[in-house]
Amino acid sequence: AQTVTQSQPEMSVQEAETVTLSCTYDTSENNYYLFWYKQPPSRQMILVIRQEAYKQQNATENRFSVNFQKAAKSFSLKISDSQLGDTAMYFCAFVDDKIIFGKGTRLHILP
Amino acid sequence: DVKVTQSSRYLVKRTGEKVFLECVQDMDHENMFWYRQDPGLGLRLIYFSYDVKMKEKGDIPEGYSVSREKKERFSLILESASTNQTSMYLCASSLPQSGNTIYFGEGSWLTVV
């Protein structure tokens, strides 16, 4: 069965710093998708970034980028120039025919 | 923009009450989901539906049922609420193909006393 592990329950960084959130997963599938979702204190879950497993190029969305290592089954999220509004819970998700979420990393951006 | 609307943001119910949580999406999505979110446990899938009148059990269906009479609406039902069902409930929807973005509602905080 697929599993998704986020090993950092909580992190804090200073504003403007770069932070990396880790995510590993376990699957025997070759074709799948990976997502990072953000859930700020207002509770609306929103998509941050999406990666197709068949693409070798790492996805990037403005200050957010991923380091996708398919062989290692790792999908980390890097936030550059972190901002106060990045404070949120971040969930990694694995998708093939099911959607499996990690338990989340609570990120605090400190002024 | 896709909108997933959960009709109740905050509810307080008594033990044994029947509780309805309503969810409506406006993007003609086939797939709809109900998750429960608890601290330290992440999101756990309760039920999902890939079509009208169709439902499938997720990982924690016990104590819950669902209804999907119309494509845009997916209701979660707690037949007899218990205190261990106090939680945040998240509704979500997506297009049918694997890998499509999942859109979430704002969540419903349910407290059972």
Side-chain angles (χ1 to χ4, degrees):
Chain A
Q2 290 92 344
T3 58
V4 176
T5 302
Q6 293 180 247
S7 59
Q8 305 144 312
E10 196 157 1
M11 300 178 71
S12 296
V13 297
Q14 296 293 136
E15 191 176 8
E17 288 185 352
T18 294
V19 59
T20 299
L21 282 60
S22 68
C23 174
T24 58
Y25 58 93
D26 187 23
T27 184
S28 58
E29 300 296 325
N30 193 47
N31 295 318
Y32 49 87
Y33 299 82
L34 295 159
F35 295 84
W36 277 99
Y37 277 87
K38 169 185 177 181
Q39 188 182 43
S42 67
R43 291 289 176 172
Q44 180 83 54
M45 189 95 76
I46 54 175
L47 177 68
V48 176
I49 202 163
R50 175 178 178 270
Q51 174 84 42
E52 294 97 334
Y54 62 85
K55 288 189 177 178
Q56 292 186 332
Q57 186 173 6
N58 289 326
T60 299
E61 288 287 343
N62 301 313
R63 297 182 295 106
F64 298 86
S65 61
V66 298
N67 183 4
F68 173 47
Q69 302 288 331
K70 190 172 184 179
K73 298 178 183 174
S74 171
F75 182 60
S76 60
L77 175 69
K78 185 171 85 171
I79 306 174
S80 303
D81 185 26
S82 59
Q83 301 174 358
L84 297 178
D86 295 332
T87 291
M89 182 75 91
Y90 287 82
F91 291 96
C92 177
F94 169 95
V95 180
D96 56 2
D97 60 340
K98 287 185 71 174
I99 307 162
I100 300 167
F101 287 89
K103 293 185 178 180
T105 295
R106 187 175 298 280
L107 177 65
H108 302 274
I109 308 299
L110 306 172
Chain B
D1 282 348
V2 174
K3 194 157 179 70
V4 180
T5 303
Q6 294 182 232
S7 56
S8 303
R9 289 298 309 275
Y10 302 96
L11 305 93
V12 179
K13 297 291 181 180
R14 294 194 180 278
T15 299
E17 276 193 77
K18 191 169 186 176
V19 181
F20 292 87
L21 299 180
E22 305 287 348
C23 176
V24 177
Q25 49 93 5
D26 65 359
M27 281 301 292
D28 204 34
H29 285 171
E30 283 79 3
N31 299 349
M32 295 190 75
F33 310 88
W34 273 106
Y35 289 91
R36 172 178 171 160
Q37 183 179 2
D38 300 287
L41 297 178
L43 276 71
R44 294 181 290 168
L45 182 63
I46 304 171
Y47 267 96
F48 61 98
S49 170
Y50 290 154
D51 202 351
V52 176
K53 296 195 185 291
M54 177 268 181
K55 59 185 178 183
E56 292 284 346
K57 292 180 179 179
D59 299 319
I60 53 163
E62 295 78 18
Y64 304 94
S65 62
V66 290
S67 172
R68 189 142 182 225
E69 296 297 318
K70 293 184 178 180
K71 190 176 185 179
E72 67 271 18
R73 186 180 298 270
F74 192 37
S75 304
L76 180 69
I77 304 156
L78 287 67
E79 295 289 342
S80 177
S82 63
T83 55
N84 64 10
Q85 292 178 310
T86 291
S87 188
M88 159 76 104
Y89 291 88
L90 288 168
C91 176
S93 73
S94 74
L95 288 169
Q97 294 83 11
S98 177
N100 278 294
T101 301
I102 307 151
Y103 295 89
F104 286 86
E106 291 185 315
S108 297
W109 279 103
L110 172 66
T111 301
V112 183
V113 297

